[in-house]
Amino acid sequence: QKEVEQNSGPLSVPEGAIASLNCTYSDRGSQSFFWYRQYSGKSPELIMSIYSNGDKEDGRFTAQLNKASQYVSLLIRDSQPSDSATYLCAVLLSEKLTFGTGTRLTIIP
Amino acid sequence: DAGVIQSPRHEVTEMGQEVTLRCKPISGHNSLFWYRQTMMRGLELLIYFNNNVPIDDSGMPEDRFSAKMPNASFSTLKIQPSEPRDSAVYFCASSRTGGGYQPQHFGDGTRLSIL
């Protein structure tokens, strides 16, 4: 089992709809959870962090964490074409980040 | 504030040559990470430093790879001799250490091609 798993996609969502990205992780000792966005040919950019169970909202983005189910998700409301990118889930354990392979998201105008 | 600065942005060299990648972390960050990203394997941690000391180099693929951090504002990743399978994008990232709550910030990466 991979340490961090994501559906590789591609995931296509109409403009204005909600995009839902999912991630599961294997180590229950994981401490912190991050979502990075990576445009083609660019570096990963941190967009959300979450540390405790529940939801965390920042603008159009909502991160959800369920430690019992070892599940992290990212919701993007009112999706825009500029949201088209690869989204990387990252899990922190003992100061080491382990990344999923990413979900490629395409917003269809 | 300046972000993580990497150089060169692109490097093309022939197999067998020595390659040196450079990184300047964000000022005040005391953890530094080197990653490699390929289509096949995604983003992999190679090595990380805390306060200039290498903590975990278990991700370094083999002895041809070495990394140093002589001071808080500079690190290098060296490949000698280079091979075509080393072709990838190499990212450097930095963070503040402590509590497991500090996110990592990435540089723009070095796109390395070994011919």
Short mmCIF file of all heavy atoms in Angstrom, two decimals, chain A residues 25-68:
data_model
loop_
_atom_site.label_atom_id
_atom_site.label_comp_id
_atom_site.label_asym_id
_atom_site.label_seq_id
_atom_site.Cartn_x
_atom_site.Cartn_y
_atom_site.Cartn_z
N TYR A 25 -4.18 8.15 3.47
CA TYR A 25 -2.82 7.94 3.91
C TYR A 25 -2.76 6.73 4.84
O TYR A 25 -3.77 6.35 5.44
CB TYR A 25 -2.28 9.20 4.61
CG TYR A 25 -3.05 9.63 5.83
CD1 TYR A 25 -2.66 9.25 7.10
CD2 TYR A 25 -4.18 10.44 5.69
CE1 TYR A 25 -3.38 9.65 8.22
CE2 TYR A 25 -4.90 10.84 6.80
CZ TYR A 25 -4.50 10.45 8.06
OH TYR A 25 -5.22 10.83 9.16
N SER A 26 -1.58 6.14 4.95
CA SER A 26 -1.49 4.86 5.66
C SER A 26 -1.00 4.97 7.10
O SER A 26 -1.32 4.11 7.93
CB SER A 26 -0.57 3.91 4.88
OG SER A 26 0.73 4.46 4.76
N ASP A 27 -0.23 6.02 7.43
CA ASP A 27 0.38 6.08 8.76
C ASP A 27 -0.48 6.90 9.72
O ASP A 27 -0.64 8.11 9.55
CB ASP A 27 1.78 6.69 8.64
CG ASP A 27 2.61 6.43 9.89
OD1 ASP A 27 2.06 6.50 11.01
OD2 ASP A 27 3.82 6.17 9.75
N ARG A 28 -1.01 6.25 10.74
CA ARG A 28 -1.89 6.93 11.70
C ARG A 28 -1.17 7.98 12.53
O ARG A 28 -1.79 8.81 13.16
CB ARG A 28 -2.54 5.90 12.65
CG ARG A 28 -3.59 5.05 11.98
CD ARG A 28 -4.39 4.25 13.00
NE ARG A 28 -5.50 3.54 12.35
CZ ARG A 28 -6.69 4.10 12.11
NH1 ARG A 28 -6.93 5.33 12.48
NH2 ARG A 28 -7.64 3.41 11.51
N GLY A 29 0.16 7.91 12.54
CA GLY A 29 0.92 8.90 13.29
C GLY A 29 1.12 10.20 12.53
O GLY A 29 1.74 11.13 13.05
N SER A 30 0.62 10.29 11.33
CA SER A 30 0.79 11.51 10.53
C SER A 30 0.24 12.72 11.27
O SER A 30 -0.82 12.66 11.89
CB SER A 30 0.09 11.34 9.18
OG SER A 30 0.65 10.26 8.46
N GLN A 31 0.98 13.82 11.16
CA GLN A 31 0.70 14.96 12.02
C GLN A 31 -0.04 16.09 11.32
O GLN A 31 -0.90 16.74 11.91
CB GLN A 31 2.02 15.50 12.56
CG GLN A 31 2.84 14.49 13.33
CD GLN A 31 4.31 14.88 13.36
OE1 GLN A 31 4.98 14.89 12.32
NE2 GLN A 31 4.81 15.20 14.53
N SER A 32 0.37 16.35 10.10
CA SER A 32 -0.15 17.52 9.39
C SER A 32 -0.39 17.15 7.94
O SER A 32 0.27 16.25 7.40
CB SER A 32 0.85 18.69 9.45
OG SER A 32 1.25 18.94 10.78
N PHE A 33 -1.28 17.91 7.33
CA PHE A 33 -1.73 17.53 6.00
C PHE A 33 -1.81 18.78 5.13
O PHE A 33 -2.29 19.84 5.60
CB PHE A 33 -3.10 16.84 6.09
CG PHE A 33 -3.07 15.70 7.08
CD1 PHE A 33 -3.30 15.93 8.43
CD2 PHE A 33 -2.79 14.42 6.66
CE1 PHE A 33 -3.24 14.90 9.36
CE2 PHE A 33 -2.74 13.38 7.57
CZ PHE A 33 -2.96 13.62 8.92
N PHE A 34 -1.34 18.66 3.91
CA PHE A 34 -1.24 19.83 3.05
C PHE A 34 -1.74 19.51 1.65
O PHE A 34 -1.63 18.37 1.18
CB PHE A 34 0.23 20.29 2.95
CG PHE A 34 0.88 20.55 4.28
CD1 PHE A 34 1.58 19.54 4.94
CD2 PHE A 34 0.80 21.79 4.88
CE1 PHE A 34 2.17 19.78 6.17
CE2 PHE A 34 1.40 22.04 6.11
CZ PHE A 34 2.09 21.03 6.75
N TRP A 35 -2.27 20.53 1.02
CA TRP A 35 -2.61 20.44 -0.41
C TRP A 35 -1.74 21.45 -1.16
O TRP A 35 -1.70 22.63 -0.80
CB TRP A 35 -4.08 20.74 -0.65
CG TRP A 35 -4.98 19.60 -0.28
CD1 TRP A 35 -5.69 19.45 0.88
CD2 TRP A 35 -5.26 18.44 -1.08
NE1 TRP A 35 -6.39 18.27 0.86
CE2 TRP A 35 -6.16 17.64 -0.33
CE3 TRP A 35 -4.87 18.01 -2.34
CZ2 TRP A 35 -6.65 16.42 -0.82
CZ3 TRP A 35 -5.36 16.81 -2.83
CH2 TRP A 35 -6.25 16.03 -2.07
N TYR A 36 -1.07 20.94 -2.18
CA TYR A 36 -0.27 21.78 -3.06
C TYR A 36 -0.89 21.76 -4.45
O TYR A 36 -1.41 20.74 -4.90
CB TYR A 36 1.17 21.27 -3.15
CG TYR A 36 2.03 21.54 -1.94
CD1 TYR A 36 1.97 20.74 -0.80
CD2 TYR A 36 2.94 22.61 -1.94
CE1 TYR A 36 2.77 20.99 0.30
CE2 TYR A 36 3.75 22.86 -0.85
CZ TYR A 36 3.66 22.05 0.26
OH TYR A 36 4.46 22.31 1.36
N ARG A 37 -0.79 22.88 -5.11
CA ARG A 37 -1.23 22.99 -6.50
C ARG A 37 0.01 23.14 -7.37
O ARG A 37 0.92 23.91 -7.05
CB ARG A 37 -2.14 24.22 -6.68
CG ARG A 37 -2.61 24.49 -8.10
CD ARG A 37 -3.55 25.68 -8.12
NE ARG A 37 -2.89 26.89 -7.68
CZ ARG A 37 -3.54 27.99 -7.25
NH1 ARG A 37 -4.86 28.00 -7.21
NH2 ARG A 37 -2.86 29.05 -6.88
N GLN A 38 0.05 22.42 -8.47
CA GLN A 38 1.20 22.50 -9.37
C GLN A 38 0.72 22.69 -10.80
O GLN A 38 0.10 21.79 -11.38
CB GLN A 38 2.08 21.26 -9.25
CG GLN A 38 3.38 21.37 -10.03
CD GLN A 38 4.33 20.20 -9.81
OE1 GLN A 38 3.91 19.10 -9.45
NE2 GLN A 38 5.62 20.43 -10.00
N TYR A 39 1.01 23.85 -11.35
CA TYR A 39 0.74 24.09 -12.75
C TYR A 39 1.83 23.41 -13.57
O TYR A 39 2.96 23.23 -13.10
CB TYR A 39 0.70 25.58 -13.06
CG TYR A 39 -0.47 26.31 -12.44
CD1 TYR A 39 -0.28 27.27 -11.45
CD2 TYR A 39 -1.77 26.05 -12.84
CE1 TYR A 39 -1.34 27.95 -10.88
CE2 TYR A 39 -2.85 26.71 -12.27
CZ TYR A 39 -2.62 27.66 -11.29
OH TYR A 39 -3.69 28.32 -10.73
N SER A 40 1.50 23.07 -14.79
CA SER A 40 2.44 22.38 -15.67
C SER A 40 3.74 23.18 -15.82
O SER A 40 3.71 24.38 -16.15
CB SER A 40 1.81 22.16 -17.04
OG SER A 40 2.70 21.48 -17.90
N GLY A 41 4.85 22.54 -15.53
CA GLY A 41 6.15 23.19 -15.68
C GLY A 41 6.53 24.12 -14.53
O GLY A 41 7.56 24.79 -14.60
N LYS A 42 5.70 24.14 -13.49
CA LYS A 42 5.96 25.02 -12.35
C LYS A 42 6.21 24.21 -11.09
O LYS A 42 6.10 22.98 -11.09
CB LYS A 42 4.77 25.96 -12.13
CG LYS A 42 4.45 26.84 -13.33
CD LYS A 42 5.58 27.81 -13.62
CE LYS A 42 5.19 28.78 -14.73
NZ LYS A 42 6.30 29.73 -15.05
N SER A 43 6.55 24.89 -10.01
CA SER A 43 6.80 24.21 -8.75
C SER A 43 5.51 24.07 -7.94
O SER A 43 4.55 24.80 -8.16
CB SER A 43 7.84 24.99 -7.94
OG SER A 43 7.36 26.28 -7.64
N PRO A 44 5.48 23.13 -7.01
CA PRO A 44 4.30 23.00 -6.14
C PRO A 44 4.11 24.25 -5.29
O PRO A 44 5.07 24.81 -4.75
CB PRO A 44 4.64 21.79 -5.27
CG PRO A 44 5.67 21.02 -6.05
CD PRO A 44 6.46 22.06 -6.76
N GLU A 45 2.87 24.66 -5.16
CA GLU A 45 2.50 25.87 -4.41
C GLU A 45 1.52 25.47 -3.32
O GLU A 45 0.47 24.87 -3.61
CB GLU A 45 1.87 26.89 -5.36
CG GLU A 45 1.29 28.11 -4.70
CD GLU A 45 0.40 28.88 -5.66
OE1 GLU A 45 0.08 28.38 -6.75
OE2 GLU A 45 -0.01 30.00 -5.30
N LEU A 46 1.84 25.80 -2.09
CA LEU A 46 0.96 25.44 -0.98
C LEU A 46 -0.34 26.24 -1.05
O LEU A 46 -0.32 27.47 -1.16
CB LEU A 46 1.65 25.73 0.35
CG LEU A 46 0.84 25.42 1.60
CD1 LEU A 46 0.65 23.92 1.76
CD2 LEU A 46 1.52 26.01 2.84
N ILE A 47 -1.49 25.54 -0.99
CA ILE A 47 -2.77 26.26 -0.99
C ILE A 47 -3.57 26.02 0.28
O ILE A 47 -4.38 26.89 0.65
CB ILE A 47 -3.62 25.91 -2.23
CG1 ILE A 47 -3.83 24.40 -2.37
CG2 ILE A 47 -2.99 26.48 -3.49
CD1 ILE A 47 -4.84 24.04 -3.44
N MET A 48 -3.38 24.90 0.95
CA MET A 48 -4.15 24.63 2.17
C MET A 48 -3.34 23.75 3.10
O MET A 48 -2.60 22.87 2.65
CB MET A 48 -5.46 23.91 1.86
CG MET A 48 -6.54 24.77 1.24
SD MET A 48 -7.22 25.99 2.37
CE MET A 48 -8.23 24.94 3.42
N SER A 49 -3.51 23.96 4.38
CA SER A 49 -2.96 23.08 5.40
C SER A 49 -4.06 22.78 6.42
O SER A 49 -4.93 23.63 6.66
CB SER A 49 -1.77 23.72 6.09
OG SER A 49 -2.13 24.96 6.67
N ILE A 50 -4.03 21.60 6.98
CA ILE A 50 -5.03 21.23 7.98
C ILE A 50 -4.39 20.29 8.97
O ILE A 50 -3.60 19.40 8.59
CB ILE A 50 -6.30 20.63 7.32
CG1 ILE A 50 -7.40 20.40 8.36
CG2 ILE A 50 -5.97 19.35 6.55
CD1 ILE A 50 -8.77 20.15 7.75
N TYR A 51 -4.69 20.49 10.26
CA TYR A 51 -4.00 19.75 11.30
C TYR A 51 -4.93 18.95 12.22
O TYR A 51 -4.49 18.03 12.89
CB TYR A 51 -3.17 20.71 12.17
CG TYR A 51 -2.31 21.65 11.35
CD1 TYR A 51 -2.54 23.02 11.38
CD2 TYR A 51 -1.29 21.17 10.54
CE1 TYR A 51 -1.76 23.89 10.64
CE2 TYR A 51 -0.50 22.03 9.80
CZ TYR A 51 -0.74 23.38 9.84
OH TYR A 51 0.03 24.23 9.10
N SER A 52 -6.20 19.34 12.26
CA SER A 52 -7.12 18.67 13.16
C SER A 52 -8.37 18.25 12.40
O SER A 52 -8.68 18.80 11.34
CB SER A 52 -7.48 19.58 14.34
OG SER A 52 -7.98 20.81 13.88
N ASN A 53 -9.08 17.31 12.98
CA ASN A 53 -10.28 16.80 12.33
C ASN A 53 -11.30 17.91 12.06
O ASN A 53 -11.43 18.85 12.83
CB ASN A 53 -10.94 15.73 13.21
CG ASN A 53 -10.25 14.40 13.11
OD1 ASN A 53 -9.71 14.04 12.07
ND2 ASN A 53 -10.26 13.66 14.21
N GLY A 54 -11.98 17.76 10.93
CA GLY A 54 -13.02 18.72 10.60
C GLY A 54 -12.72 19.43 9.29
O GLY A 54 -11.98 18.92 8.46
N ASP A 55 -13.34 20.58 9.14
CA ASP A 55 -13.21 21.36 7.92
C ASP A 55 -12.42 22.64 8.18
O ASP A 55 -12.49 23.22 9.27
CB ASP A 55 -14.59 21.75 7.38
CG ASP A 55 -15.42 20.56 6.95
OD1 ASP A 55 -14.91 19.43 7.03
OD2 ASP A 55 -16.57 20.77 6.52
N LYS A 56 -11.71 23.06 7.15
CA LYS A 56 -11.01 24.35 7.20
C LYS A 56 -11.27 25.04 5.87
O LYS A 56 -11.00 24.47 4.82
CB LYS A 56 -9.51 24.15 7.43
CG LYS A 56 -8.73 25.46 7.45
CD LYS A 56 -7.25 25.21 7.64
CE LYS A 56 -6.46 26.50 7.61
NZ LYS A 56 -5.00 26.25 7.73
N GLU A 57 -11.78 26.26 5.97
CA GLU A 57 -12.16 26.98 4.75
C GLU A 57 -11.25 28.17 4.53
O GLU A 57 -10.85 28.86 5.47
CB GLU A 57 -13.62 27.47 4.89
CG GLU A 57 -14.18 28.10 3.63
CD GLU A 57 -15.66 28.45 3.78
OE1 GLU A 57 -16.41 27.62 4.33
OE2 GLU A 57 -16.05 29.56 3.38
N ASP A 58 -10.90 28.39 3.26
CA ASP A 58 -10.10 29.55 2.88
C ASP A 58 -10.56 29.98 1.49
O ASP A 58 -10.17 29.38 0.49
CB ASP A 58 -8.61 29.20 2.88
CG ASP A 58 -7.74 30.42 2.57
OD1 ASP A 58 -8.29 31.52 2.37
OD2 ASP A 58 -6.51 30.26 2.55
N GLY A 59 -11.41 30.98 1.46
CA GLY A 59 -11.94 31.43 0.18
C GLY A 59 -12.76 30.35 -0.48
O GLY A 59 -13.69 29.80 0.13
N ARG A 60 -12.43 30.02 -1.71
CA ARG A 60 -13.18 28.98 -2.43
C ARG A 60 -12.73 27.56 -2.07
O ARG A 60 -13.31 26.59 -2.54
CB ARG A 60 -13.02 29.20 -3.94
CG ARG A 60 -13.63 30.51 -4.45
CD ARG A 60 -13.59 30.60 -5.96
NE ARG A 60 -12.23 30.62 -6.49
CZ ARG A 60 -11.69 29.63 -7.19
NH1 ARG A 60 -12.38 28.52 -7.44
NH2 ARG A 60 -10.45 29.73 -7.65
N PHE A 61 -11.70 27.46 -1.26
CA PHE A 61 -11.14 26.16 -0.92
C PHE A 61 -11.58 25.71 0.48
O PHE A 61 -11.62 26.50 1.41
CB PHE A 61 -9.61 26.20 -0.94
CG PHE A 61 -9.02 26.53 -2.30
CD1 PHE A 61 -8.63 27.82 -2.59
CD2 PHE A 61 -8.87 25.56 -3.26
CE1 PHE A 61 -8.08 28.13 -3.84
CE2 PHE A 61 -8.33 25.85 -4.50
CZ PHE A 61 -7.94 27.15 -4.78
N THR A 62 -11.93 24.42 0.59
CA THR A 62 -12.21 23.80 1.88
C THR A 62 -11.45 22.50 1.97
O THR A 62 -11.57 21.64 1.08
CB THR A 62 -13.72 23.52 2.06
OG1 THR A 62 -14.44 24.75 2.02
CG2 THR A 62 -13.97 22.84 3.40
N ALA A 63 -10.64 22.36 3.02
CA ALA A 63 -9.97 21.09 3.30
C ALA A 63 -10.74 20.37 4.39
O ALA A 63 -11.25 20.98 5.32
CB ALA A 63 -8.53 21.34 3.73
N GLN A 64 -10.83 19.06 4.24
CA GLN A 64 -11.53 18.23 5.22
C GLN A 64 -10.60 17.11 5.67
O GLN A 64 -9.94 16.49 4.85
CB GLN A 64 -12.80 17.64 4.60
CG GLN A 64 -13.80 18.68 4.13
CD GLN A 64 -14.98 18.06 3.38
OE1 GLN A 64 -14.81 17.15 2.57
NE2 GLN A 64 -16.17 18.54 3.66
N LEU A 65 -10.56 16.88 6.97
CA LEU A 65 -9.69 15.85 7.53
C LEU A 65 -10.48 14.92 8.43
O LEU A 65 -11.23 15.38 9.30
CB LEU A 65 -8.54 16.48 8.32
CG LEU A 65 -7.61 15.54 9.08
CD1 LEU A 65 -6.90 14.57 8.15
CD2 LEU A 65 -6.60 16.35 9.91
N ASN A 66 -10.30 13.63 8.22
CA ASN A 66 -10.89 12.62 9.08
C ASN A 66 -9.79 11.63 9.45
O ASN A 66 -9.44 10.75 8.67
CB ASN A 66 -12.03 11.90 8.35
CG ASN A 66 -12.75 10.90 9.23
OD1 ASN A 66 -12.13 10.24 10.07
ND2 ASN A 66 -14.05 10.75 9.04
N LYS A 67 -9.21 11.81 10.62
CA LYS A 67 -8.07 10.99 11.03
C LYS A 67 -8.47 9.54 11.28
O LYS A 67 -7.68 8.63 11.06
CB LYS A 67 -7.38 11.59 12.25
CG LYS A 67 -6.62 12.87 11.97
CD LYS A 67 -5.80 13.31 13.17
CE LYS A 67 -4.98 14.53 12.85
NZ LYS A 67 -4.15 14.97 14.01
N ALA A 68 -9.68 9.33 11.76
CA ALA A 68 -10.13 7.96 12.02
C ALA A 68 -10.18 7.15 10.71
O ALA A 68 -9.84 5.97 10.68
CB ALA A 68 -11.51 7.97 12.68
#
